[in-house]
Amino acid sequence: MSRIKDAFDNKKAFIGFVTAGDPSLDKTEEFVLEMERAGASLVELGIPFSDPIAEGPVIQDANIRALKAGCTTDKIFDMVKSLRQKTQIPLVFLAYANTLFKYGYERFCGKCRDVGIDGLIIPDIPFEEKHELSDISSKYGVDMISLIAPTSEQRIQMIAKEAQGFIYVVSSMGVTGVRSEIKTDVESIVKSIKEVTDVPIAVGFGINKKEQVAKYTQIADGAIIGSAIVKIAAQYGERAGDHIYEYVSEMVSAIYTHG
Amino acid sequence: MSKGRYGIHGGQYVPETLMNEINKLEESYEFYKKDKNFNDELDTLLREYAGRPSLLYYAEKMTRDLGGAKIYFKREDLNHTGSHKINNVLGQALLAKKMGKTRIIAETGAGQHGVATATAAALLDLECEIYMGKEDTVRQALNVYRMELLGAKVHPVESGTMTLKDAVNECMREWTSRVDDTLYVLGSVMGPHPFPMIVRDFQSVISREAREQIIEKEGRLPDVVMACVGGGSNSMGMFYEFINDKDVALIGCEAAGHGVDTDKTAATMAVGMEGIFHGMKSYFCQDEYGQIAPVYSISAGLDYPGVGPEHAYLKDIGRAQYVPVTDEEAVQAFEYIAKEEGIIAAIESSHAVAHLMKIAPKMGKDKIIICCLSGRGDKDVAAIARYRGIDLHE
């Protein structure tokens, strides 16, 4: 069984996100372990990019901090390699297309397999463009995670049918970031996906509260929190580990359980 | 391979949230481009409002002074709002109306596209918001106020390098958060398909007219057609109808800033590498890890780290040639054409004029060059004065 499947195996998943290299790669390693200790089932590692067009201000700033601190794709691979000595938690990269393209798809996916990255989320590679990458990533056993948005409508099932790993349902319009209210009808999107695939579904974008975690882990198979965790890293920097542990523990406690 | 390809370039590298919207845009465009009413309306706007056709002007004094090829300027600077940008904007704003949109958003570098968009929005009763790098709002303060006068809201963008690239980022972010009533009126032949095609089609009026005009005046096609290239909209418009005329050389002039051997440059064709950014596969200035490079040019309109995918393709197949022009050369050309022809050309267009000054003297007197003057340079006067050490502020 692949590690991503493990994350959803007979349970609802909490997925945490951190921007790699913010404030340092040593700290990223620590934050991942803290999230795991707090009960996260899967962690997304953001590879910092100069121009992250799908991100709101919180993660944009984290990208800039990480790049200023000297974070590079190669250093992230080294960090993951070291992290893999300590944990088997499923890990996926969130990266922008140019990061992979410039590195070389083949070389990038090969490295992912070697260091133990299980999947890729590439916000600027939609369904129509995915084959140039997925043909290669699948050779290396790295899942390409599909995103489905509130505007996907008739595209939902087309995307879901070819989904690997898990499906990332974008709960709200716009960029990543903390929102007080989410208006999208996530329930009907999930229903539509379930009609064509058993691939687990996690909901993200704009989630930061226990009530939202409870709601989305009931409707879907998992909830993703990014900006709220990155905010903690921004606020506490080197000392953020404990705070991330506390926050994730609280969110995990809200995960929907039967009965 | 997906839609909108120019060789390996182009494509639709955008977040899923935008996919249905750009597909709808493509469908609407394919419908309206064949619709007689739409074309009549656009044609009327271009003639009665924008002032088309623009002149093809024979620069007799420059021709004599440079002593070589006959020089013609395609005077896009004489269009309403002062640049070629209005050609595309009227088309896209009209399309937005037909699609039932009530709001348009746009990025701007020098402010020319922003001013044109704000103008079309005022005329067609659309709400308008413009995203402009904070650095550029300072360089082009007059254009900011101009857009506000026209009823647009201008958002200074403070992320990244605070220039055109960041304005595009912010515009894309804004569009993903509000697609239902909003059309992103992209200003150049870049971004995800169908934008490079739509903008090229609306701008190709430049070469359609120029081709007829030169045949009328000279009874033949020109030997060289040239224009400045940032994202590449005026140059694509100037090239397009000449692409199949194999004997017509096409030359694009990029902004080299302090020079292509320095890190203060925006000459994508000279120093860029294949990449994926802003919705397209094309050439981009970037580092070894694919981080988009902070580029530089005296010209806010050419200060962009990428180039439209069709230009990348024309370069690959050798159909067009791309040359770098430095700040200093462009400023000299700006001053030269003002004194020689009494034309204050935009600093962007002055990059093309600078290269023209290099090649015209080496060509025979029987040769003909058409150079696109994409915009007028009133907006640049204060910046050029400062470049020359004169403390002039608007």
Side-chain angles (χ1 to χ4, degrees), chain A residues 50-51 74 129 132 151-152, chain B residues 2 5 12-13 20 165 289:
Chain A
S50 54
D51 298 83
D74 280 318
E129 305 291 357
E132 66 181 59
T151 50
S152 293
Chain B
S2 67
R5 291 286 172 173
Q12 300 181 294
Y13 298 89
N20 259 328
K165 153 184 90 89
Y289 287 107

Side-chain angles (χ1 to χ4, degrees), chain B residues 57-73:
Chain B
Y57 166 73
Y58 173 44
E60 198 178 344
K61 276 189 73 195
M62 264 179 78
T63 300
R64 211 163 43 231
D65 185 59
L66 294 172
K70 265 184 120 168
I71 297 163
Y72 282 89
F73 287 116

Side-chain angles (χ1 to χ4, degrees), chain B residues 89-151:
Chain B
V89 161
L90 287 173
Q92 282 201 56
L94 196 59
L95 190 59
K97 269 299 238 213
K98 301 282 179 197
M99 290 175 74
K101 306 286 183 186
T102 55
R103 175 175 178 261
I104 54 179
I105 56 171
E107 85 293 345
T108 197
Q112 298 299 81
H113 177 58
V115 168
T117 306
T119 299
L123 181 71
L124 297 174
D125 283 322
L126 292 158
E127 203 184 317
C128 179
E129 295 186 35
I130 302 295
Y131 293 80
M132 187 172 187
K134 197 174 173 218
E135 172 110 345
D136 294 335
T137 61
V138 176
R139 285 198 277 194
Q140 303 286 352
L142 204 57
N143 269 341
V144 174
Y145 193 68
R146 205 170 269 152
M147 289 183 266
E148 287 167 353
L149 273 179
L150 292 160

Side-chain angles (χ1 to χ4, degrees), chain B residues 119-352:
Chain B
T119 299
L123 181 71
L124 297 174
D125 283 322
L126 292 158
E127 203 184 317
C128 179
E129 295 186 35
I130 302 295
Y131 293 80
M132 187 172 187
K134 197 174 173 218
E135 172 110 345
D136 294 335
T137 61
V138 176
R139 285 198 277 194
Q140 303 286 352
L142 204 57
N143 269 341
V144 174
Y145 193 68
R146 205 170 269 152
M147 289 183 266
E148 287 167 353
L149 273 179
L150 292 160
K153 187 167 192 300
V154 180
H155 300 274
V157 176
E158 298 190 25
S159 58
T161 51
M162 301 189 213
T163 58
L164 182 52
K165 153 184 90 89
D166 310 284
V168 175
N169 291 347
E170 218 44 51
C171 234
M172 286 194 166
R173 289 180 185 127
E174 173 61 23
W175 203 27
T176 52
S177 70
R178 194 168 159 188
V179 291
D180 52 339
D181 65 346
T182 301
L183 180 68
Y184 179 8
V185 174
L186 231 156
S188 195
V189 287
M190 47 157 285
H193 175 74
F195 285 110
M197 171 183 78
I198 292 178
V199 179
R200 175 251 282 157
D201 288 355
F202 286 141
Q203 289 296 359
S204 64
V205 66
I206 301 173
S207 48
R208 204 155 50 243
E209 287 174 6
R211 204 172 178 285
E212 279 176 24
Q213 288 165 322
I214 198 72
I215 288 172
E216 196 184 301
K217 283 175 195 284
E218 294 283 348
R220 71 173 185 94
L221 292 173
D223 299 285
V224 172
V225 164
M226 59 195 300
C228 63
V229 181
S233 71
N234 94 87
S235 45
M236 191 49 67
M238 186 74 240
F239 291 174
Y240 192 62
E241 297 291 337
F242 292 106
I243 289 175
N244 291 328
D245 301 317
K246 297 297 176 201
D247 295 330
V248 179
L250 307 175
I251 305 175
C253 306
E254 309 189 276
H258 292 177
V260 292
D261 48 356
T262 72
D263 60 0
K264 293 258 181 202
T265 185
T268 307
M269 293 294 200
V271 303
M273 286 166 292
E274 187 72 27
I276 299 171
F277 185 49
H278 281 164
M280 59 183 168
K281 197 175 268 183
S282 189
Y283 292 113
F284 296 96
C285 298
Q286 54 183 311
D287 74 7
E288 58 173 315
Y289 287 107
Q291 307 293 349
I292 303 304
V295 291
Y296 164 81
S297 162
I298 189 171
S299 144
L302 304 180
D303 198 354
Y304 181 70
V307 68
E310 196 165 5
H311 279 295
Y313 176 64
L314 291 178
K315 179 185 192 244
D316 286 356
I317 61 169
R319 179 62 191 95
Q321 181 200 353
Y322 295 85
V323 296
V325 174
T326 63
D327 282 1
E328 178 59 28
E329 291 168 328
V331 170
Q332 282 176 18
F334 180 93
E335 293 164 340
Y336 174 80
I337 186 175
K339 291 210 174 73
E340 199 66 36
E341 289 291 343
I343 296 171
I344 295 183
I347 188 65
E348 288 77 21
S349 322
S350 298
H351 283 71

Side-chain angles (χ1 to χ4, degrees), chain A residues 157-233:
Chain A
Q157 298 197 340
M158 169 182 86
I159 297 168
K161 275 179 195 160
E162 292 190 19
Q164 304 171 328
F166 70 92
I167 292 170
Y168 190 138
V169 170
V170 175
S171 64
S172 44
M173 298 292 290
V175 293
T176 54
V178 170
R179 285 174 185 78
S180 51
E181 195 190 357
I182 293 171
K183 285 183 185 151
T184 310
D185 185 5
V186 174
E187 231 165 329
S188 67
I189 295 176
V190 169
K191 192 166 159 255
S192 176
I193 296 170
K194 293 281 184 201
E195 281 171 18
V196 296
T197 183
D198 295 329
V199 172
I201 301 163
V203 182
F205 268 51
I207 299 178
N208 64 320
K209 289 194 197 68
K210 281 171 78 171
E211 301 76 54
Q212 292 168 310
V213 172
K215 180 180 163 193
Y216 291 119
T217 49
Q218 180 172 11
I219 297 172
D221 306 303
I224 305 166
I225 293 189
S227 295
I229 296 171
V230 173
K231 234 180 189 167
I232 297 171

